[in-house]
Amino acid sequence: GSANNNMEVKLKALECHFTWGIEKANIKHLDSLPEKLLDRIMKVCTPNHATYFNLLAFLSHLEENNVSALEYLHKAESALKNRQDDTELLVTYANFAWVHYHSGNMNNVDAYTGKRFQPHSSPSPLIKAWSFLRLGGLFYKGAKESFQKALKGDPDNASFNVGYAMVLYRLEWLATDGTERLAHTEGATQLRKALSLEPDNTEVMVLLALKIQNESGHESMKLIKEALRLSPDVPHITRYLSEYFRYTGINESLEVLEKALKLSVNSPFMNYQIGLCHKQQFIQMSEQKRNGRWVNEGQIKEKVELCIHHFSIAVELKPSNFHFRLNLAEIYGENYQLEKAMKIFTNLLKDESLNDSDKQQCYSVFGKFLYYRKKDIYGAVTQFKKAYQIPIESWHRNKAGKILTQIAEWCQARKKRVDAFDILEFLATEDKKGRKAEEPRRVEGNWQYFAKSLGIVQV
Ligand SMILES: *[C@@H]1O[C@H](CO)[C@@H](O)[C@H](O)[C@H]1NC(C)=O
Ligand SMILES: *[C@@H]1O[C@H](CO)[C@@H](O)[C@H](O)[C@H]1NC(C)=O
Ligand SMILES: *[C@@H]1O[C@H](CO)[C@@H](O)[C@H](O)[C@H]1NC(C)=O
Ligand SMILES: *[C@@H]1O[C@H](CO)[C@@H](O)[C@H](O)[C@H]1NC(C)=O
Ligand SMILES: *[C@@H]1O[C@H](CO)[C@@H](O)[C@H](O)[C@H]1NC(C)=O
């Protein structure tokens, strides 16, 4: 009736997650977002807790869990209890009203839309801006606008400056994909300003370190060391490490990481990161050996064992992490502990929660294991095909295509023409599909290139 219409008009006029046009399908990493937000609430003392509780409430609503949504909103409310201004409370109450509305508790809707609102204050842009920053790429522009708007009213507010710096960093990072263009110096300048306002903010330190890594290696490394000293066990800090150490010498990386590990023996990411460094050195040594250079066998063995040691700890501490498990399986394979490797692979292949890019990696690494360690060529072909069939351009897909081409050549040489034909036809079909999709970069299919370079006749 008209009472209901009236209520809907009121609800739609409120500023909150329900009225900001947040579509579930646009949220990046929806599955892992709640855990990340809870991590942030637990590990860092920031004024953003109320924001994250509000966002968690909205995510609960998207999962149709109104009980959990209300719980989170109560937590947001108590996080805001001792605040001077009630502008963040307005957003929280608006979310309360909406959750009650969806639950059919109309009396409570009235309570939250009517009585408990202060007539003169307008909602703080803070919650919207920080929520958008956490929701992923499609919301960054909105986050940037919100922070800009907030900064106009309060140019030296630390929280707004930090958030604005982070969103600029993300937008500039996206710019390397060609999806977005921004002047590349603005982010660094803003990150420096943010750090001057919040000198202990280790996330800002790490982002600035990444931003200036190429131009100011020394200053950048100093920031990383300081961030790891202050936050050796904070997931949203340690997660950036692989990005940072990709461009640093392995020995230097290991030195820094080992020091940080002493402060955080129970950090799964730190152990994983150290494992990755040892893995990289192991791969280098194995390559040298394959190229006929003398390599100390004891050292190779030692590297593999260090990998196993650190990856095992990472898996033990965080068994749900796909990358930890895959790396452990792979390195068990390298160490010829085939049963242990097989057990992990089997579980990973059954895991329904993996997304396509994880699955692709898994098929490709498992394929290599079957091919090189188990000498099961046809089993490997099956896995490589599955990896290749997932239309995400990646190192693992290329690798799968490369080895499939090699196997086709091997079959050809042994007069197994049917098998060779089958593989090459598969690759050709997949590449044709790829060309029909709207990605113009994939003009020349993998297999054609390799077939040409290997002198294989096109079929
Ligand atoms: C949750 O929503 C359902 C209807 O969707 C309702 O029956 C139930 O009472 C609600 N629970 C709470 C705690 O509001
Ligand atoms: C920044 O703005 C927020 C929201 O208006 C406010 O709660 C906070 O106290 C401000 N911080 C500073 C340092 O002024
Ligand atoms: C630093 O250099 C590497 C390699 O040259 C490049 O891939 C990376 O994007 C650069 N990083 C930044 C932040 O410009
Ligand atoms: C890294 O350290 C190892 C010994 O710990 C040494 O053999 C190797 O040469 C070093 N590599 C570089 C690039 O310095
Ligand atoms: C798939 O999930 C992983 C986490 O395991 C994540 O890092 C990656 O970005 C996701 N990929 C896609 C395409 O969503």
Side-chain angles (χ1 to χ4, degrees):
S2 74
N4 253 353
N5 282 342
N6 196 8
M7 181 181 285
E8 277 177 23
V9 170
K10 267 195 204 162
L11 282 168
K12 283 189 183 135
L14 299 177
E15 279 271 336
C16 67
H17 293 78
F18 291 82
T19 58
W20 289 333
I22 304 171
E23 299 283 341
K24 188 173 176 179
N26 291 339
I27 301 175
K28 208 162 175 213
H29 306 317
L30 184 58
D31 295 336
S32 55
L33 188 53
E35 190 194 337
K36 285 190 183 149
L37 292 170
L38 288 168
D39 260 351
R40 280 179 183 274
I41 288 169
M42 253 178 354
K43 298 273 185 186
V44 211
C45 179
T46 70
N48 287 337
H49 288 187
T51 298
Y52 298 153
F53 282 130
N54 268 288
L55 185 51
L56 281 162
F58 184 67
L59 297 176
S60 296
H61 158 76
L62 292 180
E63 300 301 318
E64 297 179 10
N65 186 345
N66 53 350
V67 176
S68 146
L70 289 173
E71 272 172 21
Y72 281 131
L73 288 175
H74 281 296
K75 285 184 179 166
E77 192 182 11
S78 44
L80 292 169
K81 214 162 38 194
N82 297 322
R83 291 283 175 87
Q84 289 285 312
D85 68 313
D86 59 359
T87 56
E88 287 173 71
L89 217 40
L90 290 180
V91 178
T92 308
Y93 287 158
N95 279 330
F96 261 123
W98 273 95
V99 173
H100 281 305
Y101 173 72
H102 282 293
S103 305
N105 310 325
M106 296 308 168
N107 289 338
N108 288 334
V109 179
D110 274 340
Y112 280 106
T113 48
K115 272 178 260 154
R116 304 182 69 171
F117 267 110
Q118 308 289 330
H120 295 303
S121 46
S122 65
S124 153
L126 189 103
I127 293 191
K128 184 180 183 186
W130 279 100
S131 294
F132 275 29
L133 184 56
R134 296 289 163 241
L135 286 169
L138 291 171
F139 297 89
Y140 290 162
K141 267 192 179 162
K144 187 183 169 197
E145 280 161 20
S146 296
F147 282 122
Q148 276 175 327
K149 200 172 121 198
L151 280 168
K152 270 206 190 111
D154 192 357
D156 289 320
N157 183 293
S159 172
F160 298 157
N161 274 290
V162 167
Y164 187 50
M166 287 181 182
V167 82
L168 285 184
Y169 176 87
R170 305 232 174 276
L171 284 169
E172 288 176 10
W173 186 78
L174 284 179
T176 56
D177 288 352
T179 40
E180 184 80 37
R181 276 281 150 214
L182 266 181
H184 263 255
T185 52
E186 208 187 333
T189 309
Q190 181 61 34
L191 282 162
R192 283 186 197 282
K193 179 169 183 197
L195 195 57
S196 74
L197 293 167
E198 272 187 15
D200 287 340
N201 190 319
T202 48
E203 190 170 4
V204 174
M205 282 179 207
V206 173
L207 295 182
L208 180 57
L210 282 165
K211 194 84 220 164
I212 63 173
Q213 185 171 18
N214 288 352
E215 304 93 59
S216 324
H218 187 68
E219 184 191 356
S220 167
M221 183 53 104
K222 246 174 74 182
L223 286 164
I224 286 286
K225 284 181 180 168
E226 181 63 1
L228 286 179
R229 190 179 70 78
L230 295 170
S231 307
D233 190 15
V234 176
H236 65 260
I237 302 298
T238 48
R239 249 195 288 273
Y240 290 115
L241 293 179
S242 38
E243 208 176 320
Y244 186 81
F245 286 114
R246 208 167 359 165
Y247 306 116
T248 315
I250 306 174
N251 284 355
E252 192 183 8
S253 308
L254 270 174
E255 196 186 306
V256 176
L257 291 167
E258 298 277 6
K259 209 180 265 175
L261 184 69
K262 291 208 180 92
L263 303 171
S264 64
V265 278
N266 286 327
S267 160
F269 281 101
M270 198 68 76
N271 275 288
Y272 173 63
Q273 204 52 54
I274 291 175
L276 285 182
C277 288
H278 289 303
K279 179 180 166 188
Q280 215 173 320
Q281 289 185 324
F282 164 74
I283 291 170
Q284 283 173 0
M285 289 177 183
S286 307
E287 252 163 32
Q288 286 170 0
K289 193 174 137 190
R290 253 203 310 283
N291 293 336
R293 283 180 46 199
W294 183 84
V295 185
N296 185 330
E297 287 293 336
Q299 255 183 1
I300 296 192
K301 187 80 184 154
E302 193 187 354
K303 279 291 153 199
V304 170
E305 275 161 11
L306 281 166
C307 287
I308 292 177
H309 173 75
H310 287 291
F311 288 148
S312 297
I313 295 178
V315 170
E316 220 168 273
L317 292 169
K318 202 169 165 47
S320 62
N321 188 292
F322 162 74
H323 296 284
F324 299 174
R325 287 149 80 201
L326 188 65
N327 270 285
L328 183 59
E330 188 180 16
I331 205 73
Y332 272 141
E334 295 297 327
N335 204 33
Y336 291 93
Q337 291 174 273
L338 303 186
E339 268 176 39
K340 283 195 165 165
M342 199 64 188
K343 204 173 141 199
I344 303 176
F345 279 128
T346 310
N347 280 326
L348 283 173
L349 291 167
K350 277 193 295 212
D351 192 337
E352 293 287 321
S353 72
L354 299 184
N355 63 27
D356 275 355
S357 107
D358 289 348
K359 278 186 190 153
Q360 186 184 53
Q361 267 188 59
C362 192
Y363 294 140
S364 173
V365 174
F366 185 46
K368 276 197 292 180
F369 170 78
L370 293 175
Y371 186 54
Y372 291 113
R373 291 290 167 263
K374 302 273 269 185
K375 310 290 176 208
D376 173 3
I377 291 175
Y378 292 102
V381 166
T382 306
Q383 297 304 320
F384 287 135
K385 280 182 175 174
K386 283 193 201 167
Y388 203 77
Q389 243 162 351
I390 294 175
I392 298 175
E393 277 299 329
S394 70
W395 186 88
H396 287 282
R397 185 171 189 270
N398 281 333
K399 191 81 193 167
K402 241 188 230 187
I403 302 182
L404 280 174
T405 310
Q406 283 169 10
I407 295 175
E409 187 203 19
W410 179 88
C411 292
Q412 190 100 334
R414 276 157 195 76
K415 306 270 181 275
K416 296 174 190 283
R417 284 179 177 282
V418 177
D419 294 331
F421 180 80
D422 171 67
I423 293 172
L424 293 177
E425 190 182 50
F426 166 83
L427 289 169
T429 310
E430 289 304 313
D431 288 345
K432 228 178 261 155
K433 273 189 218 161
R435 246 172 286 137
K436 263 185 223 139
E438 42 344 316
E439 280 180 72
R441 273 174 297 140
R442 292 165 50 182
V443 187
E444 175 137 344
N446 239 335
W447 81 270
Q448 290 165 311
Y449 174 76
F450 285 105
K452 253 185 250 158
S453 67
L454 292 167
I456 294 177
V457 190
Q458 292 195 7
V459 283

